[in-house]
Amino acid sequence: MLRLHYNLEKVSMGLVVAIIVAASIGGIVEIAPLFTIDETVELPDDLRPHTPLELAGRHIYMREGCYACHSQMVRSLADELDRYGPYSLPSESAYDHPMLWGSKRTGPDLARVGGKYSDDWHARHLIDPRSVVPASIMPSYPWLRRPLDTELLRERLETLAKLGVPYDEAMIGASQADALAQSRPDGEGADAVRARYGEKVVIRDFDGDPSRLTELDALIAYLQSLGTLTDAPYTILKASSADIPDGDGHE
Amino acid sequence: MADTLSLFERRFALLLSILLAAMGMTMVAAARHGVMAVHGFITIALGVGLVLALGRVYYSAPPVAERAGRFYDAPTRLGIAMTLIWAIIGMGAGVWVSALLYWPDATPAVPWTSFGRLRPVHTTGIIFGFGGNALIATSFHVLQRTSRARLAGSVSPWFVLIGYNLFCVWAVTGYLMGSTQSKEYAEAEWYADLWLVVVWVTYFVLYMRTLARREEPHIYVANWYYLAFILVVAMLHIVNNLALPLRLNAAESLPVWSGVQDAMVQWWYGHNAVAFFLTAGFLGMLYYFLPVRSGRPIWSYRLSIVSFWGITFFYIWVGSHHLHYTALPYWVQTLGMTFSVMLLVPSWASAGNAIATLNGAWNKVRDDATLRFMFVAAVFYGLSTFEGSFLAIRPVNSLSHYTDWTVGHVHSGTLGWVAMIVFGAIYTLVPQLSGRETMASSRAVEWHFWLAVAGTLIYVVAMWNAGITQGLMWRAYNENGALSYSFVQSVEKMAPYYLLRTIGGALFLAGAVICVLNCRATVLLAKGEAADRPLVRQPAE
């Protein structure tokens, strides 16, 4: 062995090839099989993709680096089920390019935050967190009151469709109109949004200012959608709650 | 810089600078507004600045004919300067964001000063700016010395360094303006990623061509590590950053990976950025500068072979330990955990080899703060790899994951190991490249050393306490079977630790500032160039 290496050290290309081989095996073994997951793990029937407004909000979530302090991945541990709700399923983030599972909880997990608070609470919390949670160390985001830039929304849906997320022609074509319509519950487009994205989509004036479509509208729409894209985590947990200690706190 | 180039090379460099400015103009013209346009303007400014710099010396005397008989150290000097500049930017941003976790309202209400935008400025500034420049600069030095040959290119080293720093500037200014892929440690947008590939290929070719010139039959172990760094980082970077731009004229893209695949690719990248950026490259540094400074050969050649291949092979498997108990398939988590534990063997072999090398030179460790930096680096390398393997064990991870314990672990590696070895290398190189025996002030090196050690210890201990407290509070149940603490209660408990951490970081930063001043003073007192020379084959009579 030593002799072999003694000779290898004299051939630079030999070292290069050996390094590439040694450093590839692990990745291939662990990553390649995951691409068959699409076939092995079925997507729940009721799984819907994000609406255009929620996607715009997701983009703001990334832009502001919310993911640096918040995870969106409930682990299968008893205390997490009690604190946050059912553990996260792989199918829930199947349409997420990129995933936002996160790695640090300076603030709580947000995977199940949809529906937990009112829109008004979120609006006040985002503009000034300490006005609702005095001990909070979350940054304030007063600039979210500015108008939402929808310039790239169509391209966003189009690109996601290319990557396999089920957005059809109609959804792509109406992306900007749908974004506005989701914040106008009494407007004409509301029914069209429901028709395209399902009855459970939340259609409200999220930021309390019906005259404008703001970044706050988009971000709150996104937060309210988290954990509501499919019911599968709840049904699976109920079905198996006998196996899980303390599995009763997921309301 | 340009005075080291021949007339032909000056023309070529001029052409490249003009092309760079033209690339900037294309970006501005295509994007018209937004992040990409700003990046275009930055690029134009750089290109024009380079043209001016070249123009100033264009007609100066070409370098002496026997320059082939000298090492090419000018690029290394620029690399060290960039390392120090990024150290201040990256550590400064780090201290500031850590202060924001204690005083969240200390920041003005403007988007670019917000925590979430500055945090990647800190990580990119340190990993790529500080660490990357240090690796490139020292690799040029080590490659030439261990091959006893001059770099196999006169323009390409500059292209690598300047191009690389352009990538860093694009990345960091992009985050401030809100452009990010949001993949941790790979936040830069698609065209910056493509640009880095071009730079990286040039770097690799330069490395291989110089190796081909070597006058030593054997490739020294430091170069194996630098090679592994170059090759594997290329592989990780390309696969993790595969993305579709929304538009060719906008700084926005979507990664091709989604959900669980994206998570696995991300942490395969993320952990191997630790392995091949923050470990392999710096081990290369250690394997060269530690023996040089202590005047002792590496303790065991055999052990260095075992640890090199162990690290290269095992590390790639361990990324999935970032995803314990998540939606990632269980068997992948288990593989990640298993390999993480096995990784301790080659890691400790490296750390042990380094420390055993100092046997017989302990008096030097006592007297020479520079060597002490390297010794402490090896110790922290050993400690943090032990901690890493420990944290990768599933039940331990259930407590530590998502908490500040991870942050503490990372900083025991980055402050204690990576930064310490960089400072050790800098304090060895800067006098040498200035034709001097010592730094301008040895006492300042001593001060820096103690500030760095104190800062690291305070930081790490504060984060251990913070992380373990969080982990225990989150999982505590009261006698009624309900959770004992709300999340916010755990946030409140963090305040003293976050304050301490900020103090530790500030001490470390203060040491770095001293280092910058000392390096500047040393360069101003320079007595010439490095005295050593490559072996040059004499033409046969």
Side-chain angles (χ1 to χ4, degrees):
Chain A
M1 270 313 268
L2 212 56
R3 180 97 228 135
L4 187 78
H5 203 272
Y6 188 78
N7 291 327
L8 182 66
E9 283 166 30
K10 295 184 194 163
V11 192
S12 53
M13 264 335 251
L15 265 178
V16 167
V17 172
I19 289 171
I20 293 179
V21 171
S24 299
I25 298 171
I28 293 172
V29 172
E30 289 186 351
I31 297 175
L34 297 184
F35 288 90
T36 61
I37 273 186
D38 290 346
E39 283 95 63
T40 42
V41 176
E42 227 171 287
L43 295 182
D45 291 332
D46 65 340
L47 180 67
R48 72 163 172 93
H50 283 296
T51 65
L53 188 63
E54 291 158 8
L55 274 184
R58 189 170 202 270
H59 177 239
I60 295 167
Y61 185 95
M62 289 161 52
R63 182 189 79 192
E64 299 301 343
C66 311
Y67 63 88
C69 287
H70 291 287
S71 59
Q72 290 186 23
M73 172 49 60
V74 182
R75 297 179 295 173
S76 50
L77 297 167
D79 57 294
E80 301 216 350
L81 303 189
D82 285 343
R83 191 178 294 280
Y84 302 115
Y87 58 86
S88 300
L89 301 179
S91 55
E92 285 182 273
S93 48
Y95 296 151
D96 287 352
H97 297 261
M99 55 85 206
L100 294 173
W101 292 10
S103 61
K104 177 70 175 52
R105 285 182 186 155
T106 303
D109 188 276
L110 297 181
R112 306 265 170 255
V113 87
K116 182 175 171 188
Y117 298 103
S118 69
D119 298 337
D120 180 53
W121 187 92
H122 280 299
R124 284 190 290 140
H125 183 251
L126 287 166
I127 301 293
D128 180 8
R130 276 155 294 288
S131 71
V132 271
V133 184
S136 179
I137 55 168
M138 177 161 141
S140 323
Y141 297 94
W143 56 88
L144 294 179
R145 287 240 179 255
R146 66 191 175 194
L148 180 69
D149 178 2
T150 53
E151 191 191 332
L152 286 171
L153 209 46
R154 189 196 159 90
E155 279 87 346
R156 199 170 286 283
L157 266 77
E158 224 164 30
T159 312
L160 284 170
K162 273 188 214 149
L163 293 170
V165 182
Y167 291 115
D168 57 29
E169 286 297 320
M171 289 164 157
I172 295 172
S175 48
Q176 294 194 340
D178 282 352
L180 187 63
Q182 199 184 341
S183 72
R184 303 257 158 104
D186 307 323
E188 295 166 4
D191 289 333
V193 175
R194 272 195 207 95
R196 279 192 268 275
Y197 295 93
E199 284 302 315
K200 280 194 291 177
V201 169
V202 181
I203 300 184
R204 281 196 300 252
D205 172 27
F206 296 97
D207 69 349
D209 175 359
S211 65
R212 299 186 311 147
L213 182 63
T214 62
E215 295 195 332
L216 208 50
D217 277 316
L219 186 53
I220 297 175
Y222 173 63
L223 292 172
Q224 296 292 23
S225 79
L226 290 176
T228 69
L229 300 184
T230 162
D231 283 334
Y234 293 89
T235 30
I236 289 181
L237 191 66
K238 260 200 199 101
S240 67
S241 61
D243 318 337
I244 294 169
D246 295 310
D248 53 344
H250 59 273
E251 299 317 331
Chain B
M1 145 199 163
D3 48 358
T4 59
L5 302 179
S6 71
L7 195 61
F8 172 75
E9 289 158 357
R10 284 175 199 181
R11 285 196 193 125
F12 183 51
L14 206 57
L15 178 70
L16 285 180
S17 310
I18 294 170
L19 284 178
L20 191 68
M23 180 171 87
M25 281 180 224
T26 316
M27 288 166 74
V28 175
R32 282 167 196 284
H33 64 94
V35 178
M36 197 180 205
V38 176
H39 285 165
F41 280 119
I42 293 176
T43 313
I44 297 174
L46 177 66
V48 171
L50 288 171
V51 169
L52 291 180
L54 283 161
R56 263 213 340 229
V57 291
Y58 192 77
Y59 292 109
S60 69
V64 276
E66 77 270 22
R67 79 172 177 180
R70 301 246 172 101
F71 288 124
Y72 198 17
D73 288 331
T76 307
R77 275 194 211 105
L78 173 69
I80 293 176
M82 294 314 299
T83 306
L84 292 171
I85 292 173
W86 281 107
I88 302 302
I89 298 174
M91 290 176 199
V95 173
W96 178 240
V97 292
S98 98
L100 288 183
L101 290 181
Y102 187 74
W103 292 287
D105 287 321
T107 184
V110 267
W112 68 267
T113 62
S114 176
F115 177 93
R117 298 196 187 191
L118 285 176
R119 190 249 184 189
V121 171
H122 164 59
T123 53
T124 301
I126 289 299
I127 300 173
F128 292 96
F130 171 68
N133 274 298
L135 286 170
I136 296 175
T138 57
S139 76
F140 286 166
H141 180 88
V142 171
L143 173 64
Q144 297 185 83
R145 267 47 181 204
T146 56
S147 306
R148 297 214 261 173
R150 187 181 164 89
L151 281 181
S154 299
V155 179
S156 59
W158 300 108
F159 178 80
V160 171
L161 268 169
I162 297 172
Y164 181 76
N165 281 287
L166 179 63
F167 163 80
C168 296
V169 170
W170 275 356
V172 163
T173 53
Y175 313 149
L176 294 178
M177 294 181 280
S179 145
T180 169
Q181 294 191 122
S182 88
K183 292 177 76 93
E184 280 185 87
Y185 321 119
E187 292 94 342
E189 267 299 350
W190 62 275
Y191 53 86
D193 290 336
L194 283 176
W195 174 249
L196 185 60
V197 173
V198 175
V199 169
W200 217 248
V201 170
T202 315
Y203 185 25
F204 175 66
V205 171
L206 174 65
Y207 214 93
M208 293 305 280
R209 285 184 54 222
T210 308
L211 275 182
R213 280 188 177 185
R214 71 186 182 279
E215 293 292 337
E216 289 283 338
H218 284 271
I219 300 173
Y220 181 64
V221 42
N223 292 310
W224 316 345
Y225 281 104
Y226 281 119
L227 265 180
F229 150 65
I230 298 172
L231 287 167
V232 184
V233 166
M235 181 163 107
L236 298 166
H237 174 77
I238 292 172
V239 175
N240 187 44
N241 283 304
L242 286 176
L244 287 186
L246 293 191
R247 248 193 221 165
L248 285 181
N249 63 354
E252 267 181 55
S253 62
L254 295 170
V256 301
W257 318 117
S258 75
V260 62
Q261 290 104 335
D262 187 36
M264 185 59 224
V265 171
Q266 162 62 29
W267 289 109
W268 167 79
Y269 167 88
H271 203 82
N272 287 299
V274 175
F276 290 91
F277 214 105
L278 297 178
T279 303
F282 293 96
L283 280 172
M285 219 182 264
L286 180 81
Y287 271 108
Y288 178 79
F289 288 101
L290 186 83
V292 162
R293 189 77 188 186
S294 63
R296 317 257 330 157
I298 277 294
W299 182 64
S300 163
Y301 165 71
R302 244 174 236 244
L303 207 54
S304 65
I305 297 179
V306 173
S307 46
F308 175 74
W309 291 106
I311 284 173
T312 308
F313 179 72
F314 285 169
Y315 245 121
I316 280 289
W317 298 75
V318 308
S320 52
H321 73 223
H322 288 250
L323 301 168
H324 280 324
Y325 301 98
T326 68
L328 183 78
Y330 197 72
W331 65 268
V332 190
Q333 302 176 20
T334 307
L335 266 181
M337 169 169 81
T338 313
F339 275 85
S340 303
V341 174
M342 294 198 294
L343 188 58
L344 190 59
V345 175
S347 300
W348 272 28
S350 289
N353 208 356
I355 292 171
T357 300
L358 291 172
N359 252 342
W362 291 111
N363 57 327
K364 289 191 192 165
V365 177
R366 190 191 58 214
D367 299 335
D368 178 10
T370 304
L371 191 56
R372 230 178 299 130
F373 266 111
M374 301 184 199
F375 166 66
V376 169
V379 171
F380 267 102
Y381 176 62
L383 291 177
S384 21
T385 46
F386 173 76
E387 188 182 31
S389 298
F390 181 64
L391 293 180
I393 299 171
R394 203 183 268 116
V396 182
N397 194 269
S398 76
L399 180 90
S400 72
H401 193 56
Y402 293 133
T403 73
D404 280 298
W405 192 349
T406 313
V407 180
H409 167 59
V410 171
H411 284 81
S412 109
T414 45
L415 300 175
W417 150 235
V418 170
M420 297 278 186
I421 189 70
V422 170
F423 290 129
I426 284 181
Y427 286 132
T428 310
L429 273 181
V430 170
Q432 186 188 347
L433 299 186
S434 316
R436 292 172 51 94
E437 293 283 307
T438 56
M439 291 291 293
S441 164
S442 305
R443 282 205 35 206
V445 181
E446 198 69 46
W447 267 96
H448 180 190
F449 175 78
W450 289 110
L451 281 171
V453 171
T456 307
L457 288 177
I458 293 176
Y459 191 116
V460 172
V461 172
M463 289 298 96
W464 277 339
N465 281 297
I468 293 171
T469 307
Q470 285 163 331
L472 291 177
M473 285 179 85
W474 293 347
R475 60 163 57 172
Y477 282 91
N478 61 23
E479 57 280 7
N480 303 327
L483 291 168
S484 302
Y485 304 102
S486 71
F487 192 91
V488 181
Q489 284 175 308
S490 76
V491 174
E492 286 176 273
K493 274 271 184 297
M494 291 303 108
Y497 306 126
Y498 284 177
L499 180 62
L500 260 185
R501 181 249 305 265
T502 306
I503 294 171
L507 292 181
F508 201 92
L509 173 65
V513 171
I514 293 179
C515 174
V516 173
L517 298 176
N518 201 3
C519 287
R520 210 183 102 87
T522 310
V523 171
L524 289 178
L525 295 173
K527 295 181 186 145
E529 302 189 338
D532 52 346
R533 295 277 181 271
L535 272 186
V536 182
R537 242 183 278 241
Q538 299 303 323
E541 293 289 314

